[in-house]
Amino acid sequence: MALFLKPLIIFLHDSWLALLSLLNYGWSSEEAAGVPKRLQASIKTTWGRQLRSSLMVPLFKCLVAFCLIISLLVFIEGVYMNLVVLYVKLFKRKPEKVYKWEPMQEDIELGDESYPMVLVQIPMYNEKEVLKLSIGAACRLTWPLDRLIVQVLDDSTDETIKELVNTECAKWENKGVNIKCERRDNRNGYKAGALKQGMKHNYVKLCNYVAIFDADFQPEPDYLQRSVPFLVHNPNVALVQARWRFINANKCLMTRIQEMSLNYHFMAEQESGSTRHAFFSFNGTAGVWRMAAMEEAGGWNDRTTVEDMDLAIRAGILGWKFVFLDDLTVKSELPSKFKAFRFQQHRWSCGPANLFRKMIMEIIRNKRVTLWKKLYLIYSFFFLRKIVVHFFTFFFYCVILPTSVFFPEVRLCIPAWSTFYIPSLITLFIVIATPRSFYLVIFWVLFENVMSMHRTKGTFIGILEGGRVNEWVVTEKLGDALKTKLLPQIVKPRNGCFQSMNSKEIMMGTYILCCACYGVLFGDTLLYLYLFMQAVAFLVSGVGFVGT
């Protein structure tokens, strides 16, 4: 294409110069003979200056001003959440003190009937390596056997894996566990569809509460003993959410970085939401729901890829309260392959943005919660944390700062507090959640900036309902290994030596590297040091040298 376009561009360029020559010097060939070269230099200088001064510089200054405002808002939000967490720690405001909590005790007359009926759901899809662990952990829960139903929602398509699930269920059934294996003849709605179908069985109507664990999650035996009493003794509580504990966090640098981000999510976002607003987003697993709350909220909905957040929002705006237990942990795994992590982050950024688009008017029109809670949901929960922060991180640190080396006027408008002080404090807040990884803070910053590109793209797709808005990637966790399987409609087989190459990261890294080189030659600041490190982070990710 470039081979054909180049002659056309040259022809248009020369024709434009000839026209200007004609307009300025008339038809005289003698006067016009030496004009093109002079005109070319003059036009380049004049037009370049005009384009720079009237378009590029004002545009970048506006973007800088916008990013500075967002930077302050993100910083204030971070300070607010951490102050709430500090308040909880200093005054020991544990959920057991805020809500009524008493251990479950067997009644002499009623016996086990004093315990509520609990349904444990385990949705899975071709989970060969973890199915025994997840089913076994659910069946070992300390709870009267006649008051517990374990429901395995198996959407597996592999006949061998189906047989393994049947064998495992039969083993625990022989031990006295009331375990059911339910299957569908389709995968409509993916996980949300499986959970919704699972709730339609008659025996489910006997249950008061439902605990949900993904196939790679393994609760401790006392999980129900510590969580269900909050629901039993507090009729306005709909959800009790436990914290995730990662058994493969030390697998590689990428899993360590994920651990830092998720620990901060639980420490700050979930803890502060539970304490201040009695609301936070359900994490999709390791939580116990009150059946009545789920039914009132309308049950599972597969309109987005974040069915867990969807259900939480609908229950939250009906006035139900949520409780987060920071000291109750459930073992889980982190994706250790870069592509698996990318697909996960796409879903986690695209889904909330799409849900915001679908629910904003429903939240605004709602009359069952206070105006303060509506403001919290729209501004803090959705707009700031799920949408704007991704745009800000990518455009400010990966586009505006690198490009500013070409525009001294723009660089002078970027204050030091926006590039060093506030980012350092925000990073410090995040590192506090995982003190053992403090020395990895530089890697965390650079890698988060790389991932912000994918989160920004996912957020755009979610807001605009683009083609990949409902893309669902099933990540099969294997303990020491990880496989990522795409559903048939999005499978794009690729072969050859470029299979592990990521073009977007390479292009972005190359651009930032060019900016860094320009900064070394013509810049008057040390910004190029950051640019070189960020370029390397993009390029290393681009060639697939990240994760296992």
Side-chain angles (χ1 to χ4, degrees):
M1 180 63 72
L3 187 64
F4 296 100
L5 286 177
K6 187 174 180 181
L8 177 62
I9 293 173
I10 294 175
F11 170 75
L12 293 174
H13 177 263
D14 292 344
S15 300
W16 175 247
L17 291 177
L19 178 61
L20 289 177
S21 173
L22 177 65
L23 292 174
N24 284 276
Y25 297 95
W27 292 96
S28 173
S29 59
E30 293 182 0
E31 292 181 353
V35 166
K37 289 184 179 180
R38 297 198 307 271
L39 254 183
Q40 184 173 355
S42 175
I43 290 170
K44 282 184 178 180
T45 303
T46 305
W47 278 62
R49 287 176 179 173
Q50 289 182 351
L51 182 65
R52 181 188 182 95
S53 62
S54 61
L55 178 62
M56 299 300 294
V57 172
L59 175 62
F60 272 92
K61 285 185 175 180
C62 289
L63 291 175
V64 168
F66 175 76
C67 288
L68 294 181
I69 294 173
I70 298 301
S71 178
L72 285 172
L73 295 178
V74 171
F75 175 69
I76 293 171
E77 178 73 8
V79 171
Y80 164 74
M81 291 190 297
N82 281 273
L83 286 176
V84 173
V85 173
L86 183 62
Y87 163 78
V88 172
K89 303 301 181 185
L90 289 178
F91 294 93
K92 299 181 179 180
R93 299 288 292 174
K94 290 186 175 183
E96 289 83 356
K97 292 186 176 181
V98 177
Y99 298 91
K100 184 179 179 181
W101 187 92
E102 294 177 2
M104 300 299 302
Q105 295 179 355
E106 185 174 324
D107 189 280
I108 298 177
E109 296 181 359
L110 298 176
D112 291 343
E113 291 186 7
S114 61
Y115 284 76
M117 284 288 294
V118 177
L119 175 71
V120 177
Q121 290 185 313
I122 310 174
M124 58 175 57
Y125 174 73
N126 292 336
E127 308 285 359
K128 180 180 179 181
E129 279 73 13
V130 296
L131 65 89
K132 291 185 178 180
L133 295 174
S134 58
I135 294 175
C139 293
R140 292 190 190 95
L141 289 169
T142 305
W143 203 256
L145 291 179
D146 58 341
R147 311 300 292 172
L148 180 70
I149 301 176
V150 178
Q151 186 186 64
V152 180
L153 303 170
D154 184 27
D155 276 357
S156 299
T157 54
D158 189 306
E159 293 299 327
T160 303
I161 297 176
K162 286 183 179 180
E163 188 60 33
L164 289 173
V165 173
N166 290 337
T167 302
E168 190 66 17
C169 290
K171 182 184 78 173
W172 286 102
E173 187 175 16
N174 292 334
K175 294 182 179 181
V177 177
N178 187 2
I179 185 169
K180 311 284 186 181
C181 181
E182 307 292 354
R183 291 192 172 94
R184 303 184 293 165
D185 56 3
N186 59 71
R187 290 210 68 224
N188 295 341
Y190 309 117
K191 178 183 173 181
L195 292 169
K196 186 175 182 178
Q197 184 66 31
M199 299 293 285
K200 295 180 179 180
H201 298 281
N202 290 330
Y203 58 83
V204 174
K205 297 176 182 178
L206 303 173
C207 301
N208 308 102
Y209 311 110
V210 54
I212 302 166
F213 301 102
D214 284 350
D216 58 299
F217 279 72
Q218 302 153 41
E220 297 296 332
D222 64 346
Y223 176 86
L224 294 179
Q225 293 281 358
R226 297 178 60 184
S227 58
V228 171
F230 284 100
L231 297 165
V232 172
H233 300 300
N234 301 277
N236 59 347
V237 172
L239 168 68
V240 178
Q241 173 73 58
R243 184 176 182 147
W244 299 356
R245 177 162 55 91
F246 312 107
I247 60 176
N248 67 330
N250 294 324
K251 182 65 180 177
C252 61
L253 179 61
M254 193 181 78
T255 54
R256 290 289 295 274
I257 291 173
Q258 290 179 68
E259 181 191 34
M260 294 170 67
S261 298
L262 288 171
N263 280 349
Y264 178 73
H265 162 71
F266 284 110
M267 182 199 78
E269 295 183 16
Q270 303 293 77
E271 184 86 69
S272 64
S274 176
T275 302
R276 186 66 184 88
H277 305 279
F279 173 81
F280 49 84
S281 176
F282 174 44
N283 293 119
T285 179
V288 186
W289 275 91
R290 185 186 300 274
M291 288 283 197
M294 293 183 68
E295 292 174 1
E296 186 181 1
W300 295 103
N301 195 315
D302 61 359
R303 58 181 169 175
T304 68
T305 57
V306 285
E307 72 290 329
D308 43 11
M309 184 181 295
D310 190 344
L311 177 60
I313 298 292
R314 284 184 279 117
I317 61 178
L318 291 176
W320 289 98
K321 294 184 177 182
F322 299 172
V323 177
F324 172 69
L325 302 181
D326 183 68
D327 57 353
L328 178 60
T329 61
V330 177
K331 291 186 291 186
S332 64
E333 292 186 15
L334 294 163
S336 59
K337 282 190 176 180
F338 183 54
K339 287 191 180 295
F341 184 56
R342 280 176 53 188
F343 284 121
Q344 182 198 69
Q345 293 303 298
H346 170 82
R347 179 161 52 92
W348 286 4
S349 56
C350 179
N354 190 237
L355 182 63
F356 178 65
R357 171 193 173 108
K358 287 180 165 68
M359 290 205 70
I360 182 171
M361 295 309 301
E362 185 178 346
I363 296 172
I364 292 174
R365 290 194 293 263
N366 183 274
K367 297 180 180 180
R368 298 185 62 171
V369 295
T370 63
L371 180 62
W372 172 246
K373 192 165 186 177
K374 290 183 186 179
L375 181 63
Y376 168 75
L377 281 172
I378 295 174
Y379 167 74
S380 181
F381 181 82
F382 270 120
F383 180 71
L384 203 57
R385 297 187 210 165
K386 309 299 182 186
I387 298 176
V388 175
V389 69
H390 302 319
F391 294 149
F392 161 71
T393 302
F394 176 65
F395 285 110
F396 187 65
Y397 295 109
C398 301
V399 177
I400 292 177
L401 279 184
T403 308
S404 68
V405 300
F406 302 117
F407 301 95
E409 308 96 316
V410 174
R411 189 171 66 251
L412 294 174
C413 296
I414 304 176
W417 59 261
S418 67
T419 58
F420 181 76
Y421 298 110
I422 282 185
S424 297
L425 288 173
I426 293 175
T427 304
L428 182 62
F429 293 155
I430 293 169
V431 172
I432 289 174
T434 315
R436 76 187 188 98
S437 298
F438 182 81
Y439 68 99
L440 298 175
V441 63
I442 298 298
F443 296 101
W444 179 86
V445 170
L446 298 175
F447 187 70
E448 281 294 295
N449 288 345
V450 172
M451 293 312 302
S452 69
M453 177 176 65
H454 298 286
R455 293 174 183 137
T456 299
K457 180 183 176 184
T459 304
F460 266 123
I461 292 173
I463 289 290
L464 303 176
E465 288 203 330
R468 293 179 59 196
V469 68
N470 289 319
E471 180 185 68
W472 186 282
V473 177
V474 179
T475 302
E476 186 177 338
K477 298 189 173 62
L478 307 173
D480 292 332
L482 190 78
K483 291 180 180 178
T484 301
K485 293 186 177 181
L486 306 188
L487 299 178
Q489 61 266 35
I490 54 174
V491 168
K492 296 182 180 180
R494 300 194 308 176
N495 299 310
C497 60
F498 296 103
Q499 185 172 359
S500 62
M501 303 287 278
N502 305 302
S503 59
K504 298 181 184 66
E505 285 86 348
I506 291 176
M507 288 189 293
M508 201 69 217
T510 302
Y511 173 71
I512 296 177
L513 182 61
C514 292
C515 295
C517 293
Y518 186 90
V520 171
L521 297 175
F522 305 104
D524 54 359
T525 67
L526 297 178
L527 178 61
Y528 64 84
L529 295 176
Y530 158 73
L531 297 181
F532 273 124
M533 291 190 293
Q534 191 62 71
V536 170
F538 269 102
L539 293 174
V540 168
S541 301
V543 297
F545 197 62
V546 176
T548 56

